[in-house]
Amino acid sequence: MTPEDITRLFVERSNAGDADGVAALYEEDAVMAFPPGRTTVGRAAIRDLWAEVLSRAPTFEQEPPLPTLESDGIALTSTPPRDGAGARAQVVRRQPDGSWLRLLDQPEFQTPTG
């Protein structure tokens, strides 16, 4: 896998209603800035959050990735969201088996105004 694969897998698993599969894309102690204004910490809590979100059967669309920044087994991935959320950004880390998992996830944030 490449760092960019995580976003594609997230969309595929979310659209399949697979909260366990989505959670498996995160490190055990990952931090996600969601829901807005809060953080969700740990794979188990992220799984529970996505189970609740996916129970409403939302549909996610693949967004084209922006260039990935990578250094020493850490990468920053991002996409310009189609839903007007401002930006999406994730920090992913290469695992011992060569795969990548999300460590930090900022799924939506707005550009400050004023």
Side-chain angles (χ1 to χ4, degrees):
M1 275 195 290
T2 67
E4 299 84 2
D5 286 334
I6 299 293
T7 298
R8 176 184 54 78
L9 292 168
F10 171 86
V11 170
E12 290 173 3
R13 293 172 185 187
S14 293
N15 287 340
D18 182 5
D20 290 328
V22 170
L25 299 173
Y26 291 84
E27 287 195 356
E28 193 63 42
D29 295 323
V31 177
M32 183 172 64
F34 192 81
R38 296 190 6 225
T39 56
T40 302
V41 180
R43 184 182 291 152
I46 290 169
R47 186 247 172 252
D48 292 346
L49 172 73
W50 281 108
E52 180 182 332
V53 169
L54 297 177
S55 72
R56 296 187 288 276
T59 300
F60 293 86
E61 291 186 37
Q62 187 66 45
E63 298 166 338
L66 295 170
T68 297
L69 299 175
E70 185 179 339
S71 177
D72 197 26
I74 301 286
L76 172 66
T77 62
S78 57
T79 59
R82 295 180 181 159
D83 65 5
R88 301 188 204 290
Q90 302 81 33
V91 175
V92 298
R93 182 168 26 208
R94 187 185 335 259
Q95 304 299 300
D97 67 359
S99 66
W100 294 82
L101 292 177
R102 285 182 174 169
L103 175 63
L104 302 171
D105 186 4
Q106 179 79 46
E108 56 184 48
F109 55 91
Q110 299 289 326
T111 303
T113 59

